[in-house]
Structure formats: C-alpha cells, structure tokens
Amino acid sequence: MLLRNKNFALVWVGQVLSQGGTRVYQIALLWWLLGSLPADSRGLASGAFLVMGALPPLLLVRQIGRRLDRRPSRTVMLRTELIACAVVTVLAILATQDAVSPWMVYPVAVVLATCQAFFDPCLLKSLPELVAGKDIERAVGFGAATQSVANFAGAAFGAVLLATVGFTGAIWLNAASYAIAALCLTAARFTPAPAPPAPPAEAPVADGGTWHFLGSMPGVRPLLVCFAAANFFSAPTLLVLPLYTKLVLAQGAGTLAILEAALWLGLLLGAFLAASIPTGSRTIRFGAVCIALFGLCLAVPGLLVDQWLYAVALAASGWFLGVSNVKFTALFQQVVPTEVKGRFFAALQAAISATFPIAFLAFGAFGDALSPQLLTLAQAGGLLVLAVALAQLREPKPVMA
C-alpha cells in the first residue's frame, strides 16, 4: 500500500518519526521533572503535564474544525510541524545552555498539544487527497497505527536514548523529528477532493457551530457517541495494568513491560490487518462484535490470575480494539460529507480527548476502593453493554462514490 501511494507514505513516515520523537521527549521530560521538583509536588506536576495534552482538542474544537474545512490540508499540517519544530528548537537551545526551568515545559506542552490537535484530524480528513479510493481503509489502518508505533518505539528505545544522549539530546532529537516530518510534507503531493456543488441562492446556510452540524447526520451522531464511550472503558487499561501487575501478580517493572508490549502489539496487528477483513455493509454489527470480544478479553484477568494468560488476553483485546478503530474510522470517511469532514474529525478528537481525563479520574478513584480484578470486570461490563447498544444502530448511507 505504501509503495502504491508514495505521497501518503511520505506523510505517514514523517508522522511516525515526529510522534516517536515526541514520545522520547515526553519520557525524558517526565524523568527530568521528577529530578528537578520537590518530592511533595512531583506527582501533581507530572499529572498536570499529561492533562495539558487533552485540553487543546477540547477548548479549540470550534476553531480547529472551521480551519480544517477552510484551509488546504497540506498548509495546516505543514504549519503545525514548523511551529512545533521552532518551539522545541528554542527549548533545546536553552537546555544546551542549562537554562531550562520547570515552568518552561508547560507552555511548550500546550503549544505541542495544540499543534497535534490540528494535525491529527487534518490527517484523517486528507486521506482521500493522498490515496486512491480502494486504499482508504488501509490508509486508515496505517494512520490508526501511527500512535501505537510511536508509543511502542518510544517506550522501547526511550530509556536507552535517554541514557545515551540525555535530556538535552532528547529535545534535539524531537526537534529534528519535526523538521524531517515537515520535509516529508513538503515533498508529498495532495490532490484536493472536488468541491461540493454550491447550494441554491435561496437555501439557508447551515451554521458551522461546534456540534450543531452533527444534526444533519442523524445516523453518524450516535456512532460518534459510541466511539467515544468505547474509549472511556478502554483507556483505563493503561491505569489498571500497573495496579494489576503490582497488586495481583506481585511482579515488577519487567512484567509490566511485557504486558504493555502485548497490548501495543495487538493494537498494531489489528490496525494493519483490519483492511483484510471483509465486512460488507455490516460495519456496525462487525464493530459491535469486536467491542464485545474486546470486553470479554478484559474480563479474563478479572476471573483468572495468570501472567501469561493476561498477556495473551491483552494482545487479543488490543487486536479487537485496533480492528474496530480502523473499521469505524473508515466508515466515517465514507458517510461524512467532504465539506464538514474537518469539523467532524475535530469533534471526534474532542469527544475522545474528553473521555481520557474523566476515565482516568473515575477508574483511579475506584482503584483506591476496589481491587484491579474488579476494575477489569467493570471495563468488560461497560464494553459489553456498549456493544449491545451499538448493534441496535442502523448503518448510515455512504456519501462517497
């Protein structure tokens, strides 16, 4: 697929590099914060740093959606990469001079999160401009795997690179990754989708508000809600994993690394192989089955305690989640009109981003009172209920040829 669509390959490889560099930078930065702050404020400072990544998609959803629908995709993505590169380069220069203070990293985190908040939905919107129609679903799979590849590589090599190049070197590495991604975007060619026909002069112009446009797509709105709800129950897996490893398995960091690797590997395989699984016109039913099986896999460690069984269950759950993510995103590409795709994917990103802090806070609070095994069963129960509700929805009609 990458050989047939070299323009998409350029953009995708650039994103893998930039997000991988950002992941290494985040690991280095969190480690640096832990060593630079008093013991009684390290947890709050680290948590605040992570929460900032969820704020821009929520606070700027209106501006993001409108800009994506009005500006060329390549222009938006190239500007975000250049801004991120410039900001990180300034931070790297300061780090070289040993002039970085803890308060500086927070505005940098906001800028980088804002750039990513514009880039991610813009990349989804631009897929029809980069690949042929028959390869849209495979391109969605590669796009969905980008973060998993970056997280997997960043987690695998982050500690090694940090020990080799240090905090300052990690910042320079991230700046270079943004520069390479910008060069890839410059070299790629985009083929804009044909403009939709202009409405009659007497027809009222629809309001381009943050969420109001979803009313014109009644079959799509419940899908967006279900998609975000699935993330509410799947995201706490990253919180439950260390608790389960320490409290139930009574194991250390090595076991945790194996379990996380199993989850990311499953996500990667699911995203890459999703396009090879035919669903016909029953994407919603197929997605509901995937989410149900995902929930059943998460229930396994709640009922049976075994390290390797948990690893297999995590790999399987990641596979089902990766497949369902690709299938639903590909469906959105087909059923959302071109003229509002920017707003839709911005709204989707905002809805998913909103679930992360809520899910972590909710399951974190329950984690203080319940065992990790009960938390996995709560995740499984929520996903099974969601799968049943999703199976009742009707398939929306495609708008793409």
Side-chain angles (χ1 to χ4, degrees), residues 294-306:
F294 174 34
L296 290 176
C297 289
L298 289 183
V300 170
L303 302 173
L304 301 171
V305 178
D306 182 83

Side-chain angles (χ1 to χ4, degrees), residues 163-227:
T164 304
V165 301
F167 175 57
T168 301
I171 302 177
W172 279 113
L173 179 66
N174 192 23
S177 70
Y178 279 121
I180 294 173
L183 290 175
C184 290
L185 279 167
T186 302
R189 294 182 179 181
F190 289 68
T191 305
E202 65 276 8
V205 179
D207 178 24
T210 306
W211 305 100
H212 299 295
F213 74 97
L214 293 173
S216 63
M217 299 179 289
V220 175
R221 181 162 47 186
L223 279 180
L224 186 148
V225 173
C226 288
F227 198 75

Side-chain angles (χ1 to χ4, degrees), residues 26 30 43-59 106 109-110 113 353-354 356-358 360-361:
Q26 289 173 341
L30 286 173
L44 179 61
S46 301
F49 174 76
L50 294 175
V51 168
M52 283 185 175
L55 294 180
L58 291 171
L59 301 179
Y106 292 99
V110 172
S353 297
F356 287 131
I358 297 174
F360 283 130
L361 288 174

Side-chain angles (χ1 to χ4, degrees), residues 217-220 223 284 331-332 334-335 393-399:
M217 299 179 289
V220 175
L223 279 180
I284 292 181
L331 180 63
F332 292 145
Q334 297 175 357
V335 302
L393 301 180
R394 295 182 179 180
E395 295 279 345
K397 296 180 179 180
V399 295

Side-chain angles (χ1 to χ4, degrees), residues 7 22 32 42 200 211 258 268 280 332-333 337 351 356:
N7 294 315
T22 301
W32 178 80
R42 291 172 183 171
W211 305 100
I258 293 174
L268 281 174
F332 292 145
Q333 289 284 356
F356 287 131

Side-chain angles (χ1 to χ4, degrees), residues 220-299:
V220 175
R221 181 162 47 186
L223 279 180
L224 186 148
V225 173
C226 288
F227 198 75
N231 278 273
F232 174 84
F233 289 105
S234 64
T237 302
L238 298 177
L239 176 66
V240 174
L241 261 176
L243 294 175
Y244 193 98
T245 303
K246 184 175 183 179
L247 301 178
V248 179
L249 297 177
Q251 298 294 323
T255 299
L256 178 60
I258 293 174
L259 296 176
E260 287 191 351
L263 177 64
W264 290 118
L265 180 61
L267 280 165
L268 281 174
L269 292 177
F272 282 131
L273 299 177
S276 302
I277 304 174
T279 60
S281 60
R282 295 180 175 270
T283 301
I284 292 181
R285 293 286 181 88
F286 178 82
V289 171
C290 284
I291 291 177
L293 293 174
F294 174 34
L296 290 176
C297 289
L298 289 183

